[in-house]
Every structure is written in C-alpha cells, then in structure tokens.
C-alpha cells in the first residue's frame, strides 16, 4: 500500500523543537486527518512531508519520511522533485492574482525541468483538472480572464485544480476549509472523498465534525508529539488517551 | 447587495466624530499640496514671461544660446537632460533590479542585512561627493580605458565615435546610474518583500526552483511597485544637478557620440544663474526651469498611466509559456 511512512521525525525552527519523535503511517488512497490544538505542529508536520519546512531559514529536520520507497530526506534527493510529487493546498486560497484562470491551473506544468507541453496537451490537462474539482462548468467561459470575482470556495477549488494538474501522488491539505462558508466547505469535503480513490490525502483540520465525516484515519498531535493514531471511529468513539478524549469532547487539550 | 447596504446603515451612527475631522484634514492637506505645486508652476511661468513672449515655442527647438546677442534656444540642454537620464536609467535598470532580487529573495539572511545597510548608505551620500568622484576618478578612467575600448570594439556605431574627453554624456549617464541605483534598489527590495508569503509558497509547493518563484510569483505581483521605484529614480535623475555638472563637460552641443561633452537643463541653470546680467538671460534660464518642471510632471504622469494600464490589463503576466 503506497503512502507515506514517517519514522522518528523531529523538526526544529531554530532552537525550538517543534515535532518530537513522530512515528506514523499515512496509508495510500485514504484520507488521514491530523487534529490537535493550535500551535501543536500540524502545519509543521505537513511541511516536513513535502520538504517545505526547510525553506524557512534556520529550520531543520531529522528522521525519515518514506514516500513510495523514496526516503525524501535521503542525500541526493532533489526537494523540488519531492514537491512535485507531494502537492499542497493552503488555508487561504493563494491563487496568482495577475494570472488568468487557465494560467493559474497550468502554472505548475510550465515550470522548468518538466517535459515541455504542447499547447493541446496543456489545455487537456487544465481542463481535466478543472473537471476533477467540479469547476469546469463554472469557469469554462472565462478561462482567459483573471480569477477576480470567483467566490472563496471556487478559488480554493481552483487551488486544488492547480495542485492536481501536476499529477502528484499525495495531497496535503492544511485547513483547506477554514476560510470558507459551510456550504463551500461541504463541497470541498465531497471533492476529497472523490479524490481519495486516486490520491493519498492528508488533511489538517480544526473541525472535529469534518474529520469525523471524511477521514478514514485520524492522528491526534499535542505539543509536537503524536498522542494517538487509529481509524477515525476508533479515535473518536474509543480514544485510548485521556488527552485525546479531552480535546475531542472540547474539555481542554 | 441589500445586506451590504443594511450593514452600512447600521454602522453609520457609530462613526466616531474624529473620523470626520481626520478625513477633512486629509482632504485639506492633499488639496494644499496640489495648490502648492500649482503656485510654484505659476510663479515660474510668470518669471519666465519675457523669454516666453520673445521666443515662444522656438525656444524648445532652437540650438543657439547666445547671452551677448540675447538669443536663447534650449534644445541642447533638453537633449542633454533626456539622453543622460535615459542612458542612466538603462544602465541602472538591470543593476538595481538584480540587486533588489538578490537582497530580497536569494541572499542568505546575514548577507541581506549587511548589504541592505550598505545600499541604504549609498543612497544617503550627497550628490556633490558622487560628482567629485566622477570628476577625479571616473572620468580619467573612462578616458584611459573604457572609451578607447568601446571605440575599438564598437566604433562602427556612431555612439562610440569622435574625440574622447573622459567627461561627457557617458560619464554623466554612469554617474546618474550609480546615484539612482541605490534608491531604486532599496525601494524595489521593500516592494518585493511585501509580496505575500502565500504567493511564494504556492509556487514552491508546485516544485518551483527559487528563480522560478521570483520570476513567476514574485515579480508579477511586485511590478507596479517596481515601476514606481523606477519613476522615483527617473525623477531623481532628471533633477540631478551637482554631480552631472561636474562630469558632463558643460558644452551645449548635440552629438551622436556618447563620448562628447554636453550640457543639461539643471547644469546650465546652476552654471549661469549667478552671472546672468540681462533680464532676458535670467528669464531664459527660468524658462528652462519651467520646461524641466513640465518634463518631470509629464514623465510622472506617463509612469502613472503605465501603472494604471498594467493594473487594468492584469492578465499579461510574465508567463509567456502559457
Ligand atoms: N516560521 C516559523 N518560525 C518559527 N517558529 C514557527 C514558524 N512557524 C511556526 N512556528 C512555531 O511552530 C509551532 C508549531 O506551528 P504550526 O505547525 O504552524 O502549528 P499548527 O499548524 O498546529 O497550528 C508553533 O509554536 C509556532 O509558533
Ligand atoms: Mg497550522
């Protein structure tokens, strides 16, 4: 089962040890939710999985992260290559405001080091990605205009399409619905359920209901440590650790 | 729509009376500034009166500048100002943009701080110092090395023909480039730093190299601000006086050669104002000042228009691949 194995992962910002000894397996073709109080290191964990963490000056990682038999921190592995295989969606829909919708989706394909796409191919991929996120019908008449005027939910789906266009193996989603209204959030959840047939999805969320609704597995992190990990019903209905139970029931982390 | 209106209605009673005062003050100072510019323009216009009535439009197109005969034409000075400014800007553009990108995006942290500080210091050096350096160091060096070299390799271009003096258009352009680069670099660096982290991360997460991040995500977002920085540099170059006077050779000639001496609008004013005896000569110099004022205004308006068009145009990013 392809996915991501995390072994003895430690992460630092400067001197601050943010993640301590995290051992965890994110199964392939499933959604794993990562929950935990603010500042516990959820985003840091995600950023370790696509080697974005090291872009912050002074940030450091120790341990192993294995993606489909590649140790992504192995000497000689190109971080840029890893980031192409592990896509990331952020909390705020960070589209490129000066680009058209088409360019926004295709931008990853136009980066150097990839095979050169002929225009038809590029177009096919952009259209396919927009269809995957259910945005095609909504934007097909305005592909070559900027994304101004799209709703926050549409923008977030555009960001997901942009990520899918480069055909990653893993999709990291860092609170993708936090900036959205409930209806837009539900649409993203539906989308995640569709996408999990072909991708390994890791979802950071503050919303317990959301985790319970969409995630197959759930990991609970507190203060940089993995406290509990299991199938979602297990973690939510029969938490083994008192801290998990307190966090889930809202009686303090 | 209805909700928005309602929200505004609900908010109105809560407006602090201080808001109104502040708004009034802001409008007043903006209008005051406009009025000031207008009054300065008017004053120059009136002082230039005798020259304006005597020479009219021909002042701009005539090459004769003869205080003894009382005939004045400003074309060589206008040419000198425009050509040195243009060349200075062309030389400064890659330098400052490159430096700004390096400082804001690529340099390691500690280096950024040190180099950034140095650039800021360069921007604070008085222009007379640049002028003296240009006169005593740059011009002799140009005469001994760069100009012969250019003449030898590019002499087939009219730009690099004719006698060499060291001082001249080329020296003035280089001095201007050196003077405006720190300013343009400093502002561009700030503008680049203002581009939201989210923009960078979005592209990094797609597997972009650092240079691709700069080219595709950062520069397009920052381009309006960068053009603004260059507009400021342009204004500075147009108005620069002391340094240019010391290196341009101060001869009102129009020549294709960059080696040739020339004169600029500011340098003729500063050279002749104290010795101008006839009132027509004084008026002619002020006439030049009026033209400089108009040219500066025009250039700024053009730059504004450019920015405005880019913001509206929006979609022609730097992504030609797509
Ligand atoms: N760029 C950074 N530099 C220094 N410390 C950081 C940085 N980003 C996050 N941190 C710190 O790392 C810890 C974990 O942050 P994060 O992973 O963003 O938490 P979460 O996503 O769970 O809310 C926090 O204490 C935060 O202050
Ligand atoms: Mg976070």
């Amino acid at each position: 089962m392809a996915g991501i194995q995390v072994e003895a992962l430690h992460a630092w910002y400067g001197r601050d040890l943010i993640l301590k000894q995290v051992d965890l397996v994110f199964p392939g073709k499933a959604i794993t939710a990562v929950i935990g109080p603010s500042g516990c290191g959820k985003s840091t964990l995600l950023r370790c999985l696509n080697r974005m963490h090291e872009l912050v000056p002074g940030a450091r990682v120790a341990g192993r992260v294995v993606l489909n038999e590649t140790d992504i921190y192995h000497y000689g592995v190109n971080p840029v290559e890893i980031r192409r295989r592990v896509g990331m969606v952020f909390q705020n829909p960070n589209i490129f405001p000066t680009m058209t919708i088409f360019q926004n989706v295709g931008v990853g394909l136009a980066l150097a080091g990839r095979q050169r796409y002929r225009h038809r191919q590029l177009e096919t991929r952009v259209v396919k990605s927009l269809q995957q996120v259910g945005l095609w019908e909504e934007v097909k008449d305005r592909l070559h205009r900027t994304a101004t005027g799209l709703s926050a939910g549409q923008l977030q789906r555009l960001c997901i399409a942009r990520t899918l266009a480069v055909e990653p193996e893993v999709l990291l989603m860092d609170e993708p619905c936090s900036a959205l209204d409930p209806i837009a959030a539900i649409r993203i959840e539906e989308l995640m359920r569709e996408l999990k047939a072909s991708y390994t999805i890791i979802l950071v969320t503050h919303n317990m209901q959301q985790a319970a609704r969409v995630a197959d597995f759930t990991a609970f992190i507190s203060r940089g440590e993995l406290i509990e990990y299991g199938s979602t019903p297990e973690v939510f209905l029969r938490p083994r650790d008192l801290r998990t139970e307190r966090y889930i029931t809202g009686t303090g982390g | 729509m209805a909700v928005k209106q309602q929200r505004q209605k609900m908010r109105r009673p809560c407006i602090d009376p201080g808001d109104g005062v502040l708004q009034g003050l802001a409008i007043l100072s903006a209008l005051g500034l406009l009025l000031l510019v207008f009054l300065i323009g008017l004053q120059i216009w009136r002082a230039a009166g005798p020259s304006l009535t005597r020479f009219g439009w021909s002042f701009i197109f005539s090459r004769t500048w003869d205080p003894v005969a009382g005939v004045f034409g400003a074309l060589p000075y206008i040419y000198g100002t425009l050509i040195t400014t243009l060349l200075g800007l062309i030389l400064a553009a890659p330098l400052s943009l490159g430096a700004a990108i390096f400082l804001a995006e690529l340099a390691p942290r500690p280096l950024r701080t040190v180099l950034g500080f140095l650039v800021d210091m360069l921007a604070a050096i008085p222009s007379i110092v640049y002028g003296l350096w240009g006169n005593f160091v740059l011009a002799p060096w140009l005469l001994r090395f760069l100009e012969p070299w250019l003449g030898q390799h590019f002499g087939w271009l009219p730009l690099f023909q004719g006698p060499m003096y060291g001082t001249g258009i080329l020296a003035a352009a280089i001095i201007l480039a050196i003077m405006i680069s720190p300013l343009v670099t400093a502002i561009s660096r700030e503008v680049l730093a203002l581009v939201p982290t989210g923009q960078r991360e979005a592209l990094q997460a797609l597997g972009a190299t650092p240079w691709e991040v700069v080219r595709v995500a950062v520069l397009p977002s920052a381009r309006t601000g960068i053009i603004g920085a260059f507009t400021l540099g342009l204004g500075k170059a147009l108005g620069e006086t002391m340094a240019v006077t010391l290196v341009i050779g101060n001869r009102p000639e129009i020549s294709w050669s960059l080696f040739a001496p020339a004169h600029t609008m500011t340098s003729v004013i500063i050279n002749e104002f104290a010795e101008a005896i006839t009132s027509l000569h004084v008026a002619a110099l002020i006439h030049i000042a009026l033209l400089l004022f108009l040219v500066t205004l025009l250039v700024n308006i053009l730059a504004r228009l450019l920015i405005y068009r880019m913001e509206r145009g929006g979609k022609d990013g730097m992504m030609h691949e797509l």
Side-chain angles (χ1 to χ4, degrees), chain A residues 47 83-84 94-95 98 112 114, chain B residues 198-199 201 205-207 212 314:
Chain A
R47 294 168 64 93
R83 286 176 212 134
R84 289 171 189 178
N94 50 1
I95 53 125
T98 57
R114 299 182 193 284
Chain B
Q199 294 287 302
E201 292 195 328
L206 289 170
E212 284 172 334

Side-chain angles (χ1 to χ4, degrees), chain B residues 41 51 86 106 162 164 173 196 200 214 250:
Chain B
S51 169
L86 183 74
L106 306 174
M164 303 165 189
R200 283 168 236 268
V214 171
N250 296 328

Side-chain angles (χ1 to χ4, degrees), chain A residues 196-213:
Chain A
K196 85 172 178 187
S198 5
Y199 302 90
T200 304
I201 299 180
I202 304 174
L203 166 74
V204 167
T205 178
H206 270 133
N207 182 333
M208 294 306 114
Q209 282 84 23
Q210 182 173 66
R213 277 194 300 264

Side-chain angles (χ1 to χ4, degrees), chain B residues 220-306:
Chain B
S221 294
R223 61 188 173 174
T224 339
I226 291 175
I227 292 177
F230 275 100
T231 313
L232 281 179
L234 186 62
K236 188 173 154 132
L238 279 175
E240 179 47 44
T241 313
M242 286 318 298
V244 172
T245 301
L246 282 165
V247 298
I248 198 169
N250 296 328
R251 263 200 264 158
E253 292 170 2
I254 299 179
S255 159
W256 271 109
S257 173
L258 300 185
F259 302 154
H263 224 326
T264 66
M265 298 164 89
T266 50
S267 55
V268 69
I269 295 174
I270 198 146
N271 276 310
E272 296 191 3
F273 205 79
E275 293 134 42
I277 302 168
T278 65
S279 60
L280 189 61
H281 192 181
V282 174
L285 289 173
I286 296 176
H287 195 164
I288 289 186
L290 179 68
L291 291 179
L292 187 62
F293 182 79
L294 292 179
V295 167
T296 315
L297 217 60
L298 202 71
V299 162
N300 273 294
I301 290 172
L302 282 179
R304 289 279 135 207
L305 279 179
L306 186 68

Side-chain angles (χ1 to χ4, degrees), chain A residues 47 50-56 83 90, chain B residues 201 204-205:
Chain A
R47 294 168 64 93
N50 68 344
R51 296 197 61 171
M52 291 274 288
H53 179 68
E54 67 208 49
L55 292 173
V56 176
R83 286 176 212 134
F90 300 82
Chain B
E201 292 195 328
Q204 281 164 346

